[in-house]
PDB file of all heavy atoms in Angstrom:
ATOM      1  N   THR Y 157      -6.595   5.285  -2.186  1.00 96.00           N
ATOM      2  CA  THR Y 157      -5.675   5.989  -3.054  1.00 96.00           C
ATOM      3  C   THR Y 157      -6.316   6.200  -4.407  1.00 96.00           C
ATOM      4  O   THR Y 157      -6.073   7.298  -5.047  1.00 96.00           O
ATOM      5  CB  THR Y 157      -4.423   5.081  -3.282  1.00 96.00           C
ATOM      6  OG1 THR Y 157      -4.698   3.800  -3.628  1.00 96.00           O
ATOM      7  CG2 THR Y 157      -3.567   5.080  -1.897  1.00 96.00           C
ATOM      8  N   ARG Y 158      -7.074   5.312  -4.908  1.00 97.00           N
ATOM      9  CA  ARG Y 158      -7.847   5.533  -6.136  1.00 97.00           C
ATOM     10  C   ARG Y 158      -8.927   6.607  -6.084  1.00 97.00           C
ATOM     11  O   ARG Y 158      -9.048   7.417  -6.861  1.00 97.00           O
ATOM     12  CB  ARG Y 158      -8.588   4.273  -6.632  1.00 97.00           C
ATOM     13  CG  ARG Y 158      -7.634   3.215  -7.259  1.00 97.00           C
ATOM     14  CD  ARG Y 158      -8.465   2.030  -7.743  1.00 97.00           C
ATOM     15  NE  ARG Y 158      -7.574   1.026  -8.239  1.00 97.00           N
ATOM     16  CZ  ARG Y 158      -8.028  -0.189  -8.534  1.00 97.00           C
ATOM     17  NH1 ARG Y 158      -9.277  -0.464  -8.330  1.00 97.00           N
ATOM     18  NH2 ARG Y 158      -7.188  -1.133  -9.012  1.00 97.00           N
ATOM     19  N   ALA Y 159      -9.448   6.623  -4.852  1.00 97.00           N
ATOM     20  CA  ALA Y 159     -10.567   7.743  -4.654  1.00 97.00           C
ATOM     21  C   ALA Y 159      -9.957   9.093  -4.684  1.00 97.00           C
ATOM     22  O   ALA Y 159     -10.572  10.109  -5.203  1.00 97.00           O
ATOM     23  CB  ALA Y 159     -11.188   7.377  -3.309  1.00 97.00           C
ATOM     24  N   LYS Y 160      -8.756   9.278  -4.197  1.00 97.00           N
ATOM     25  CA  LYS Y 160      -8.104  10.460  -4.069  1.00 97.00           C
ATOM     26  C   LYS Y 160      -7.713  11.032  -5.537  1.00 97.00           C
ATOM     27  O   LYS Y 160      -7.774  12.097  -5.858  1.00 97.00           O
ATOM     28  CB  LYS Y 160      -6.767  10.570  -3.217  1.00 97.00           C
ATOM     29  CG  LYS Y 160      -7.172  10.458  -1.671  1.00 97.00           C
ATOM     30  CD  LYS Y 160      -5.965  10.500  -0.838  1.00 97.00           C
ATOM     31  CE  LYS Y 160      -6.410  10.300   0.614  1.00 97.00           C
ATOM     32  NZ  LYS Y 160      -5.208  10.242   1.566  1.00 97.00           N
ATOM     33  N   GLU Y 161      -7.249  10.063  -6.489  1.00 97.00           N
ATOM     34  CA  GLU Y 161      -7.043  10.377  -7.771  1.00 97.00           C
ATOM     35  C   GLU Y 161      -8.279  10.617  -8.476  1.00 97.00           C
ATOM     36  O   GLU Y 161      -8.373  11.714  -9.234  1.00 97.00           O
ATOM     37  CB  GLU Y 161      -6.360   9.120  -8.440  1.00 97.00           C
ATOM     38  CG  GLU Y 161      -5.021   8.844  -7.999  1.00 97.00           C
ATOM     39  CD  GLU Y 161      -3.917   9.972  -8.497  1.00 97.00           C
ATOM     40  OE1 GLU Y 161      -4.078  10.455  -9.651  1.00 97.00           O
ATOM     41  OE2 GLU Y 161      -2.998  10.283  -7.715  1.00 97.00           O
ATOM     42  N   VAL Y 162      -9.329  10.010  -8.208  1.00 97.00           N
ATOM     43  CA  VAL Y 162     -10.622  10.217  -8.906  1.00 97.00           C
ATOM     44  C   VAL Y 162     -11.203  11.563  -8.432  1.00 97.00           C
ATOM     45  O   VAL Y 162     -11.803  12.370  -9.326  1.00 97.00           O
ATOM     46  CB  VAL Y 162     -11.707   9.163  -8.602  1.00 97.00           C
ATOM     47  CG1 VAL Y 162     -13.069   9.444  -9.010  1.00 97.00           C
ATOM     48  CG2 VAL Y 162     -11.240   7.868  -9.179  1.00 97.00           C
ATOM     49  N   ARG Y 163     -11.023  11.936  -7.169  1.00 97.00           N
ATOM     50  CA  ARG Y 163     -11.431  13.180  -6.697  1.00 97.00           C
ATOM     51  C   ARG Y 163     -10.907  14.477  -7.447  1.00 97.00           C
ATOM     52  O   ARG Y 163     -11.541  15.254  -7.785  1.00 97.00           O
ATOM     53  CB  ARG Y 163     -11.074  13.358  -5.232  1.00 97.00           C
ATOM     54  CG  ARG Y 163     -11.385  14.702  -4.730  1.00 97.00           C
ATOM     55  CD  ARG Y 163     -10.703  14.966  -3.340  1.00 97.00           C
ATOM     56  NE  ARG Y 163     -11.769  14.780  -2.233  1.00 97.00           N
ATOM     57  CZ  ARG Y 163     -11.697  14.778  -1.011  1.00 97.00           C
ATOM     58  NH1 ARG Y 163     -10.354  14.915  -0.558  1.00 97.00           N
ATOM     59  NH2 ARG Y 163     -12.520  14.629  -0.233  1.00 97.00           N
ATOM     60  N   ALA Y 164      -9.649  14.304  -7.666  1.00 96.00           N
ATOM     61  CA  ALA Y 164      -8.801  15.394  -8.327  1.00 96.00           C
ATOM     62  C   ALA Y 164      -9.326  15.546  -9.773  1.00 96.00           C
ATOM     63  O   ALA Y 164      -9.737  16.759 -10.216  1.00 96.00           O
ATOM     64  CB  ALA Y 164      -7.361  15.115  -8.385  1.00 96.00           C
ATOM     65  N   MET Y 165      -9.572  14.509 -10.482  1.00 96.00           N
ATOM     66  CA  MET Y 165      -9.995  14.581 -11.905  1.00 96.00           C
ATOM     67  C   MET Y 165     -11.552  15.003 -11.950  1.00 96.00           C
ATOM     68  O   MET Y 165     -11.969  15.843 -12.812  1.00 96.00           O
ATOM     69  CB  MET Y 165      -9.846  13.329 -12.645  1.00 96.00           C
ATOM     70  CG  MET Y 165      -8.410  13.149 -13.096  1.00 96.00           C
ATOM     71  SD  MET Y 165      -7.654  14.574 -14.003  1.00 96.00           S
ATOM     72  CE  MET Y 165      -8.762  14.997 -15.347  1.00 96.00           C
ATOM     73  N   ALA Y 166     -12.373  14.396 -11.082  1.00 96.00           N
ATOM     74  CA  ALA Y 166     -13.715  14.762 -11.032  1.00 96.00           C
ATOM     75  C   ALA Y 166     -13.975  16.160 -10.744  1.00 96.00           C
ATOM     76  O   ALA Y 166     -14.882  16.885 -11.345  1.00 96.00           O
ATOM     77  CB  ALA Y 166     -14.528  13.806  -9.957  1.00 96.00           C
ATOM     78  N   GLU Y 167     -13.159  16.782  -9.795  1.00 96.00           N
ATOM     79  CA  GLU Y 167     -13.422  18.162  -9.501  1.00 96.00           C
ATOM     80  C   GLU Y 167     -12.980  19.058 -10.628  1.00 96.00           C
ATOM     81  O   GLU Y 167     -13.553  20.137 -10.913  1.00 96.00           O
ATOM     82  CB  GLU Y 167     -12.655  18.525  -8.120  1.00 96.00           C
ATOM     83  CG  GLU Y 167     -13.333  17.677  -7.043  1.00 96.00           C
ATOM     84  CD  GLU Y 167     -13.147  18.380  -5.647  1.00 96.00           C
ATOM     85  OE1 GLU Y 167     -12.522  19.565  -5.622  1.00 96.00           O
ATOM     86  OE2 GLU Y 167     -13.690  17.864  -4.727  1.00 96.00           O
ATOM     87  N   LYS Y 168     -11.848  18.614 -11.374  1.00 96.00           N
ATOM     88  CA  LYS Y 168     -11.500  19.435 -12.508  1.00 96.00           C
ATOM     89  C   LYS Y 168     -12.531  19.375 -13.496  1.00 96.00           C
ATOM     90  O   LYS Y 168     -12.771  20.527 -14.161  1.00 96.00           O
ATOM     91  CB  LYS Y 168     -10.151  18.789 -13.051  1.00 96.00           C
ATOM     92  CG  LYS Y 168      -8.926  19.224 -12.284  1.00 96.00           C
ATOM     93  CD  LYS Y 168      -7.801  18.668 -12.848  1.00 96.00           C
ATOM     94  CE  LYS Y 168      -6.492  18.898 -11.892  1.00 96.00           C
ATOM     95  NZ  LYS Y 168      -5.282  18.166 -12.283  1.00 96.00           N
ATOM     96  N   MET Y 169     -13.159  18.177 -13.765  1.00 96.00           N
ATOM     97  CA  MET Y 169     -14.234  18.067 -14.832  1.00 96.00           C
ATOM     98  C   MET Y 169     -15.417  18.926 -14.498  1.00 96.00           C
ATOM     99  O   MET Y 169     -15.952  19.598 -15.361  1.00 96.00           O
ATOM    100  CB  MET Y 169     -14.653  16.621 -14.977  1.00 96.00           C
ATOM    101  CG  MET Y 169     -13.671  15.778 -15.626  1.00 96.00           C
ATOM    102  SD  MET Y 169     -13.302  16.225 -17.363  1.00 96.00           S
ATOM    103  CE  MET Y 169     -11.583  16.688 -17.296  1.00 96.00           C
ATOM    104  N   ILE Y 170     -15.782  18.993 -13.261  1.00 96.00           N
ATOM    105  CA  ILE Y 170     -16.893  19.847 -12.832  1.00 96.00           C
ATOM    106  C   ILE Y 170     -16.602  21.248 -13.028  1.00 96.00           C
ATOM    107  O   ILE Y 170     -17.381  22.092 -13.443  1.00 96.00           O
ATOM    108  CB  ILE Y 170     -17.438  19.516 -11.448  1.00 96.00           C
ATOM    109  CG1 ILE Y 170     -17.991  18.132 -11.218  1.00 96.00           C
ATOM    110  CG2 ILE Y 170     -18.434  20.458 -10.947  1.00 96.00           C
ATOM    111  CD1 ILE Y 170     -18.198  17.666  -9.859  1.00 96.00           C
ATOM    112  N   THR Y 171     -15.418  21.808 -12.610  1.00 95.00           N
ATOM    113  CA  THR Y 171     -14.906  23.037 -12.800  1.00 95.00           C
ATOM    114  C   THR Y 171     -14.941  23.525 -14.195  1.00 95.00           C
ATOM    115  O   THR Y 171     -15.515  24.641 -14.612  1.00 95.00           O
ATOM    116  CB  THR Y 171     -13.569  23.295 -12.132  1.00 95.00           C
ATOM    117  OG1 THR Y 171     -13.608  22.874 -10.793  1.00 95.00           O
ATOM    118  CG2 THR Y 171     -13.148  24.747 -12.199  1.00 95.00           C
ATOM    119  N   ILE Y 172     -14.542  22.595 -15.134  1.00 96.00           N
ATOM    120  CA  ILE Y 172     -14.572  22.908 -16.599  1.00 96.00           C
ATOM    121  C   ILE Y 172     -15.969  23.045 -17.074  1.00 96.00           C
ATOM    122  O   ILE Y 172     -16.305  23.849 -17.769  1.00 96.00           O
ATOM    123  CB  ILE Y 172     -13.767  21.872 -17.377  1.00 96.00           C
ATOM    124  CG1 ILE Y 172     -12.268  21.864 -17.084  1.00 96.00           C
ATOM    125  CG2 ILE Y 172     -14.008  21.957 -18.821  1.00 96.00           C
ATOM    126  CD1 ILE Y 172     -11.411  20.751 -17.505  1.00 96.00           C
ATOM    127  N   ALA Y 173     -16.807  22.128 -16.622  1.00 95.00           N
ATOM    128  CA  ALA Y 173     -18.203  22.117 -17.004  1.00 95.00           C
ATOM    129  C   ALA Y 173     -19.008  23.371 -16.616  1.00 95.00           C
ATOM    130  O   ALA Y 173     -20.061  23.591 -17.188  1.00 95.00           O
ATOM    131  CB  ALA Y 173     -18.868  20.797 -16.549  1.00 95.00           C
ATOM    132  N   LYS Y 174     -18.665  23.911 -15.538  1.00 94.00           N
ATOM    133  CA  LYS Y 174     -19.375  25.120 -14.975  1.00 94.00           C
ATOM    134  C   LYS Y 174     -19.243  26.329 -16.017  1.00 94.00           C
ATOM    135  O   LYS Y 174     -20.093  27.211 -16.063  1.00 94.00           O
ATOM    136  CB  LYS Y 174     -18.761  25.591 -13.659  1.00 94.00           C
ATOM    137  CG  LYS Y 174     -19.217  24.712 -12.514  1.00 94.00           C
ATOM    138  CD  LYS Y 174     -18.436  24.990 -11.299  1.00 94.00           C
ATOM    139  CE  LYS Y 174     -18.467  26.368 -10.671  1.00 94.00           C
ATOM    140  NZ  LYS Y 174     -17.808  26.443  -9.469  1.00 94.00           N
ATOM    141  N   ASP Y 175     -18.333  26.285 -16.878  1.00 92.00           N
ATOM    142  CA  ASP Y 175     -18.164  27.391 -17.862  1.00 92.00           C
ATOM    143  C   ASP Y 175     -19.168  27.128 -19.003  1.00 92.00           C
ATOM    144  O   ASP Y 175     -19.697  28.265 -19.529  1.00 92.00           O
ATOM    145  CB  ASP Y 175     -16.724  27.255 -18.476  1.00 92.00           C
ATOM    146  CG  ASP Y 175     -16.470  28.426 -19.539  1.00 92.00           C
ATOM    147  OD1 ASP Y 175     -17.136  29.482 -19.373  1.00 92.00           O
ATOM    148  OD2 ASP Y 175     -15.647  28.138 -20.389  1.00 92.00           O
ATOM    149  N   ASN Y 176     -19.488  25.999 -19.447  1.00 90.00           N
ATOM    150  CA  ASN Y 176     -20.551  25.737 -20.460  1.00 90.00           C
ATOM    151  C   ASN Y 176     -20.307  26.309 -21.787  1.00 90.00           C
ATOM    152  O   ASN Y 176     -21.255  26.755 -22.404  1.00 90.00           O
ATOM    153  CB  ASN Y 176     -21.908  26.051 -19.903  1.00 90.00           C
ATOM    154  CG  ASN Y 176     -23.041  25.317 -20.546  1.00 90.00           C
ATOM    155  OD1 ASN Y 176     -22.771  24.279 -21.328  1.00 90.00           O
ATOM    156  ND2 ASN Y 176     -24.305  25.525 -20.306  1.00 90.00           N
ATOM    157  N   SER Y 177     -19.099  26.404 -22.219  1.00 95.00           N
ATOM    158  CA  SER Y 177     -18.708  26.868 -23.562  1.00 95.00           C
ATOM    159  C   SER Y 177     -18.468  25.771 -24.553  1.00 95.00           C
ATOM    160  O   SER Y 177     -18.337  24.462 -24.021  1.00 95.00           O
ATOM    161  CB  SER Y 177     -17.572  27.903 -23.559  1.00 95.00           C
ATOM    162  OG  SER Y 177     -16.432  27.113 -23.128  1.00 95.00           O
ATOM    163  N   LEU Y 178     -18.328  25.931 -25.760  1.00 97.00           N
ATOM    164  CA  LEU Y 178     -17.939  24.885 -26.714  1.00 97.00           C
ATOM    165  C   LEU Y 178     -16.610  24.283 -26.368  1.00 97.00           C
ATOM    166  O   LEU Y 178     -16.435  23.077 -26.395  1.00 97.00           O
ATOM    167  CB  LEU Y 178     -17.986  25.387 -28.099  1.00 97.00           C
ATOM    168  CG  LEU Y 178     -17.559  24.437 -29.224  1.00 97.00           C
ATOM    169  CD1 LEU Y 178     -18.573  23.243 -29.360  1.00 97.00           C
ATOM    170  CD2 LEU Y 178     -17.513  25.132 -30.521  1.00 97.00           C
ATOM    171  N   HIS Y 179     -15.582  25.134 -26.050  1.00 97.00           N
ATOM    172  CA  HIS Y 179     -14.258  24.665 -25.627  1.00 97.00           C
ATOM    173  C   HIS Y 179     -14.412  23.686 -24.460  1.00 97.00           C
ATOM    174  O   HIS Y 179     -13.720  22.689 -24.458  1.00 97.00           O
ATOM    175  CB  HIS Y 179     -13.397  25.796 -25.422  1.00 97.00           C
ATOM    176  CG  HIS Y 179     -11.954  25.463 -24.897  1.00 97.00           C
ATOM    177  ND1 HIS Y 179     -11.141  24.799 -25.906  1.00 97.00           N
ATOM    178  CD2 HIS Y 179     -11.245  25.634 -23.939  1.00 97.00           C
ATOM    179  CE1 HIS Y 179      -9.996  24.597 -25.301  1.00 97.00           C
ATOM    180  NE2 HIS Y 179      -9.998  25.034 -24.045  1.00 97.00           N
ATOM    181  N   SER Y 180     -15.213  24.176 -23.414  1.00 96.00           N
ATOM    182  CA  SER Y 180     -15.135  23.200 -22.268  1.00 96.00           C
ATOM    183  C   SER Y 180     -15.929  21.996 -22.516  1.00 96.00           C
ATOM    184  O   SER Y 180     -15.589  20.928 -22.025  1.00 96.00           O
ATOM    185  CB  SER Y 180     -15.853  24.111 -21.088  1.00 96.00           C
ATOM    186  OG  SER Y 180     -17.198  24.349 -21.483  1.00 96.00           O
ATOM    187  N   LYS Y 181     -16.903  21.981 -23.377  1.00 96.00           N
ATOM    188  CA  LYS Y 181     -17.680  20.706 -23.786  1.00 96.00           C
ATOM    189  C   LYS Y 181     -16.682  19.854 -24.540  1.00 96.00           C
ATOM    190  O   LYS Y 181     -16.735  18.531 -24.262  1.00 96.00           O
ATOM    191  CB  LYS Y 181     -18.897  21.196 -24.594  1.00 96.00           C
ATOM    192  CG  LYS Y 181     -19.959  21.677 -23.953  1.00 96.00           C
ATOM    193  CD  LYS Y 181     -21.113  21.893 -24.886  1.00 96.00           C
ATOM    194  CE  LYS Y 181     -22.330  22.573 -23.938  1.00 96.00           C
ATOM    195  NZ  LYS Y 181     -23.504  22.820 -24.590  1.00 96.00           N
ATOM    196  N   ARG Y 182     -15.861  20.327 -25.256  1.00 96.00           N
ATOM    197  CA  ARG Y 182     -14.919  19.396 -26.076  1.00 96.00           C
ATOM    198  C   ARG Y 182     -13.828  18.866 -25.130  1.00 96.00           C
ATOM    199  O   ARG Y 182     -13.369  17.779 -25.215  1.00 96.00           O
ATOM    200  CB  ARG Y 182     -14.282  20.174 -27.134  1.00 96.00           C
ATOM    201  CG  ARG Y 182     -15.176  20.524 -28.325  1.00 96.00           C
ATOM    202  CD  ARG Y 182     -14.624  21.105 -29.508  1.00 96.00           C
ATOM    203  NE  ARG Y 182     -15.502  21.268 -30.674  1.00 96.00           N
ATOM    204  CZ  ARG Y 182     -15.395  22.090 -31.739  1.00 96.00           C
ATOM    205  NH1 ARG Y 182     -14.296  22.760 -31.776  1.00 96.00           N
ATOM    206  NH2 ARG Y 182     -16.226  22.009 -32.626  1.00 96.00           N
ATOM    207  N   LYS Y 183     -13.408  19.677 -24.192  1.00 96.00           N
ATOM    208  CA  LYS Y 183     -12.439  19.118 -23.203  1.00 96.00           C
ATOM    209  C   LYS Y 183     -13.033  18.059 -22.344  1.00 96.00           C
ATOM    210  O   LYS Y 183     -12.385  17.007 -22.101  1.00 96.00           O
ATOM    211  CB  LYS Y 183     -12.003  20.367 -22.241  1.00 96.00           C
ATOM    212  CG  LYS Y 183     -10.954  21.177 -22.896  1.00 96.00           C
ATOM    213  CD  LYS Y 183     -10.635  22.359 -21.956  1.00 96.00           C
ATOM    214  CE  LYS Y 183      -9.546  22.118 -20.999  1.00 96.00           C
ATOM    215  NZ  LYS Y 183      -9.124  23.289 -20.367  1.00 96.00           N
ATOM    216  N   VAL Y 184     -14.194  18.117 -21.914  1.00 96.00           N
ATOM    217  CA  VAL Y 184     -15.047  17.147 -21.160  1.00 96.00           C
ATOM    218  C   VAL Y 184     -15.201  15.985 -21.923  1.00 96.00           C
ATOM    219  O   VAL Y 184     -15.018  14.863 -21.505  1.00 96.00           O
ATOM    220  CB  VAL Y 184     -16.373  17.753 -20.488  1.00 96.00           C
ATOM    221  CG1 VAL Y 184     -17.052  16.621 -19.874  1.00 96.00           C
ATOM    222  CG2 VAL Y 184     -15.963  18.756 -19.387  1.00 96.00           C
ATOM    223  N   MET Y 185     -15.649  16.086 -23.179  1.00 96.00           N
ATOM    224  CA  MET Y 185     -16.150  14.982 -24.064  1.00 96.00           C
ATOM    225  C   MET Y 185     -14.824  14.161 -24.472  1.00 96.00           C
ATOM    226  O   MET Y 185     -14.862  13.006 -24.648  1.00 96.00           O
ATOM    227  CB  MET Y 185     -16.591  15.481 -25.349  1.00 96.00           C
ATOM    228  CG  MET Y 185     -18.078  16.011 -25.165  1.00 96.00           C
ATOM    229  SD  MET Y 185     -19.276  14.735 -24.585  1.00 96.00           S
ATOM    230  CE  MET Y 185     -19.529  13.933 -26.172  1.00 96.00           C
ATOM    231  N   ALA Y 186     -13.592  14.792 -24.373  1.00 96.00           N
ATOM    232  CA  ALA Y 186     -12.314  14.144 -24.622  1.00 96.00           C
ATOM    233  C   ALA Y 186     -11.944  13.251 -23.469  1.00 96.00           C
ATOM    234  O   ALA Y 186     -11.252  12.171 -23.586  1.00 96.00           O
ATOM    235  CB  ALA Y 186     -11.290  15.153 -24.912  1.00 96.00           C
ATOM    236  N   TYR Y 187     -12.530  13.568 -22.280  1.00 96.00           N
ATOM    237  CA  TYR Y 187     -12.097  12.759 -21.156  1.00 96.00           C
ATOM    238  C   TYR Y 187     -13.176  11.820 -20.690  1.00 96.00           C
ATOM    239  O   TYR Y 187     -12.883  10.585 -20.293  1.00 96.00           O
ATOM    240  CB  TYR Y 187     -11.852  13.731 -19.936  1.00 96.00           C
ATOM    241  CG  TYR Y 187     -11.119  13.062 -18.736  1.00 96.00           C
ATOM    242  CD1 TYR Y 187      -9.686  12.770 -18.867  1.00 96.00           C
ATOM    243  CD2 TYR Y 187     -11.800  12.558 -17.680  1.00 96.00           C
ATOM    244  CE1 TYR Y 187      -9.143  12.173 -17.830  1.00 96.00           C
ATOM    245  CE2 TYR Y 187     -11.034  11.870 -16.658  1.00 96.00           C
ATOM    246  CZ  TYR Y 187      -9.728  11.791 -16.753  1.00 96.00           C
ATOM    247  OH  TYR Y 187      -9.010  11.063 -15.749  1.00 96.00           O
ATOM    248  N   ILE Y 188     -14.390  12.107 -20.546  1.00 95.00           N
ATOM    249  CA  ILE Y 188     -15.495  11.303 -20.176  1.00 95.00           C
ATOM    250  C   ILE Y 188     -15.815  10.281 -21.247  1.00 95.00           C
ATOM    251  O   ILE Y 188     -15.800  10.751 -22.456  1.00 95.00           O
ATOM    252  CB  ILE Y 188     -16.868  12.177 -19.840  1.00 95.00           C
ATOM    253  CG1 ILE Y 188     -16.468  13.137 -18.805  1.00 95.00           C
ATOM    254  CG2 ILE Y 188     -17.983  11.296 -19.432  1.00 95.00           C
ATOM    255  CD1 ILE Y 188     -16.257  12.633 -17.362  1.00 95.00           C
ATOM    256  N   THR Y 189     -15.978   9.010 -20.947  1.00 93.00           N
ATOM    257  CA  THR Y 189     -16.155   8.040 -21.955  1.00 93.00           C
ATOM    258  C   THR Y 189     -17.489   7.869 -22.581  1.00 93.00           C
ATOM    259  O   THR Y 189     -17.674   7.264 -23.546  1.00 93.00           O
ATOM    260  CB  THR Y 189     -15.618   6.638 -21.384  1.00 93.00           C
ATOM    261  OG1 THR Y 189     -16.367   6.379 -20.238  1.00 93.00           O
ATOM    262  CG2 THR Y 189     -14.047   6.781 -21.103  1.00 93.00           C
ATOM    263  N   LYS Y 190     -18.523   8.247 -21.876  1.00 95.00           N
ATOM    264  CA  LYS Y 190     -19.890   8.147 -22.325  1.00 95.00           C
ATOM    265  C   LYS Y 190     -20.468   9.497 -22.594  1.00 95.00           C
ATOM    266  O   LYS Y 190     -20.371  10.438 -21.763  1.00 95.00           O
ATOM    267  CB  LYS Y 190     -20.744   7.462 -21.307  1.00 95.00           C
ATOM    268  CG  LYS Y 190     -20.325   5.964 -21.073  1.00 95.00           C
ATOM    269  CD  LYS Y 190     -21.223   5.313 -19.945  1.00 95.00           C
ATOM    270  CE  LYS Y 190     -20.822   3.987 -19.790  1.00 95.00           C
ATOM    271  NZ  LYS Y 190     -21.589   3.336 -18.736  1.00 95.00           N
ATOM    272  N   GLU Y 191     -21.134   9.646 -23.802  1.00 95.00           N
ATOM    273  CA  GLU Y 191     -21.604  10.879 -24.219  1.00 95.00           C
ATOM    274  C   GLU Y 191     -22.812  11.299 -23.333  1.00 95.00           C
ATOM    275  O   GLU Y 191     -22.976  12.521 -22.976  1.00 95.00           O
ATOM    276  CB  GLU Y 191     -22.103  10.824 -25.572  1.00 95.00           C
ATOM    277  CG  GLU Y 191     -22.357  12.121 -26.270  1.00 95.00           C
ATOM    278  CD  GLU Y 191     -22.586  12.035 -27.795  1.00 95.00           C
ATOM    279  OE1 GLU Y 191     -21.878  11.267 -28.493  1.00 95.00           O
ATOM    280  OE2 GLU Y 191     -23.430  12.617 -28.319  1.00 95.00           O
ATOM    281  N   ASP Y 192     -23.654  10.390 -22.964  1.00 96.00           N
ATOM    282  CA  ASP Y 192     -24.851  10.771 -22.088  1.00 96.00           C
ATOM    283  C   ASP Y 192     -24.470  11.192 -20.615  1.00 96.00           C
ATOM    284  O   ASP Y 192     -25.123  12.054 -20.075  1.00 96.00           O
ATOM    285  CB  ASP Y 192     -25.768   9.646 -22.081  1.00 96.00           C
ATOM    286  CG  ASP Y 192     -25.207   8.280 -21.489  1.00 96.00           C
ATOM    287  OD1 ASP Y 192     -24.083   8.092 -21.849  1.00 96.00           O
ATOM    288  OD2 ASP Y 192     -25.949   7.575 -20.800  1.00 96.00           O
ATOM    289  N   VAL Y 193     -23.311  10.658 -20.180  1.00 96.00           N
ATOM    290  CA  VAL Y 193     -22.759  11.122 -18.911  1.00 96.00           C
ATOM    291  C   VAL Y 193     -22.203  12.579 -19.068  1.00 96.00           C
ATOM    292  O   VAL Y 193     -22.431  13.327 -18.075  1.00 96.00           O
ATOM    293  CB  VAL Y 193     -21.757  10.085 -18.393  1.00 96.00           C
ATOM    294  CG1 VAL Y 193     -21.143  10.708 -17.134  1.00 96.00           C
ATOM    295  CG2 VAL Y 193     -22.234   8.734 -18.224  1.00 96.00           C
ATOM    296  N   ALA Y 194     -21.580  12.812 -20.054  1.00 96.00           N
ATOM    297  CA  ALA Y 194     -21.126  14.201 -20.253  1.00 96.00           C
ATOM    298  C   ALA Y 194     -22.284  15.226 -20.315  1.00 96.00           C
ATOM    299  O   ALA Y 194     -22.138  16.304 -19.762  1.00 96.00           O
ATOM    300  CB  ALA Y 194     -20.212  14.274 -21.602  1.00 96.00           C
ATOM    301  N   LYS Y 195     -23.271  14.831 -21.062  1.00 96.00           N
ATOM    302  CA  LYS Y 195     -24.588  15.620 -21.091  1.00 96.00           C
ATOM    303  C   LYS Y 195     -25.061  15.874 -19.750  1.00 96.00           C
ATOM    304  O   LYS Y 195     -25.537  16.993 -19.365  1.00 96.00           O
ATOM    305  CB  LYS Y 195     -25.531  15.020 -22.087  1.00 96.00           C
ATOM    306  CG  LYS Y 195     -26.713  15.823 -22.293  1.00 96.00           C
ATOM    307  CD  LYS Y 195     -27.588  15.300 -23.439  1.00 96.00           C
ATOM    308  CE  LYS Y 195     -28.886  15.936 -23.557  1.00 96.00           C
ATOM    309  NZ  LYS Y 195     -28.972  17.387 -23.242  1.00 96.00           N
ATOM    310  N   LYS Y 196     -25.118  14.793 -18.967  1.00 96.00           N
ATOM    311  CA  LYS Y 196     -25.687  14.845 -17.535  1.00 96.00           C
ATOM    312  C   LYS Y 196     -24.799  15.887 -16.741  1.00 96.00           C
ATOM    313  O   LYS Y 196     -25.239  16.629 -15.948  1.00 96.00           O
ATOM    314  CB  LYS Y 196     -25.761  13.435 -16.932  1.00 96.00           C
ATOM    315  CG  LYS Y 196     -26.216  13.565 -15.536  1.00 96.00           C
ATOM    316  CD  LYS Y 196     -26.148  12.139 -14.932  1.00 96.00           C
ATOM    317  CE  LYS Y 196     -26.599  12.092 -13.501  1.00 96.00           C
ATOM    318  NZ  LYS Y 196     -26.573  10.826 -12.850  1.00 96.00           N
ATOM    319  N   LEU Y 197     -23.456  15.834 -16.958  1.00 95.00           N
ATOM    320  CA  LEU Y 197     -22.563  16.600 -16.248  1.00 95.00           C
ATOM    321  C   LEU Y 197     -22.885  18.209 -16.527  1.00 95.00           C
ATOM    322  O   LEU Y 197     -22.893  18.979 -15.582  1.00 95.00           O
ATOM    323  CB  LEU Y 197     -21.144  16.378 -16.641  1.00 95.00           C
ATOM    324  CG  LEU Y 197     -19.975  17.132 -16.088  1.00 95.00           C
ATOM    325  CD1 LEU Y 197     -19.938  17.194 -14.560  1.00 95.00           C
ATOM    326  CD2 LEU Y 197     -18.634  16.723 -16.618  1.00 95.00           C
ATOM    327  N   PHE Y 198     -23.066  18.459 -17.895  1.00 96.00           N
ATOM    328  CA  PHE Y 198     -23.368  19.894 -18.152  1.00 96.00           C
ATOM    329  C   PHE Y 198     -24.825  20.247 -17.764  1.00 96.00           C
ATOM    330  O   PHE Y 198     -24.962  21.427 -17.369  1.00 96.00           O
ATOM    331  CB  PHE Y 198     -23.154  20.071 -19.689  1.00 96.00           C
ATOM    332  CG  PHE Y 198     -21.729  20.241 -20.016  1.00 96.00           C
ATOM    333  CD1 PHE Y 198     -20.937  19.196 -20.519  1.00 96.00           C
ATOM    334  CD2 PHE Y 198     -21.128  21.529 -19.896  1.00 96.00           C
ATOM    335  CE1 PHE Y 198     -19.631  19.363 -20.825  1.00 96.00           C
ATOM    336  CE2 PHE Y 198     -19.856  21.655 -20.205  1.00 96.00           C
ATOM    337  CZ  PHE Y 198     -19.095  20.652 -20.733  1.00 96.00           C
ATOM    338  N   ASP Y 199     -25.734  19.432 -17.842  1.00 95.00           N
ATOM    339  CA  ASP Y 199     -27.113  19.790 -17.644  1.00 95.00           C
ATOM    340  C   ASP Y 199     -27.660  19.771 -16.213  1.00 95.00           C
ATOM    341  O   ASP Y 199     -28.471  20.585 -15.781  1.00 95.00           O
ATOM    342  CB  ASP Y 199     -28.189  18.917 -18.416  1.00 95.00           C
ATOM    343  CG  ASP Y 199     -27.988  19.033 -19.929  1.00 95.00           C
ATOM    344  OD1 ASP Y 199     -27.305  20.132 -20.342  1.00 95.00           O
ATOM    345  OD2 ASP Y 199     -28.327  18.148 -20.725  1.00 95.00           O
TER     346      ASP Y 199
END
């Protein structure tokens, strides 16, 4: 049950990160708790 919840949010974060605009970076940074992980997501 936790995995299904994580799947939904992880896929949303990847979809947002595919855009690679300033707005998408701010949305991802507001959700992901570590800055280096957010950088890894975009890069």
Side-chain angles (χ1 to χ4, degrees):
T157 50
R158 283 184 185 170
K160 288 179 180 178
E161 291 288 323
V162 169
R163 167 192 264 174
M165 280 314 300
E167 296 208 0
K168 284 179 187 170
M169 288 296 119
I170 293 171
T171 303
I172 291 169
K174 282 167 61 174
D175 184 29
N176 203 7
S177 64
L178 179 62
H179 180 62
S180 62
K181 286 182 182 179
R182 287 182 175 167
K183 283 174 87 171
V184 168
M185 291 293 281
Y187 195 81
I188 303 292
T189 56
K190 294 181 180 175
E191 196 172 317
D192 56 324
V193 176
K195 183 169 172 37
K196 180 180 176 183
L197 176 62
F198 280 98
D199 295 343

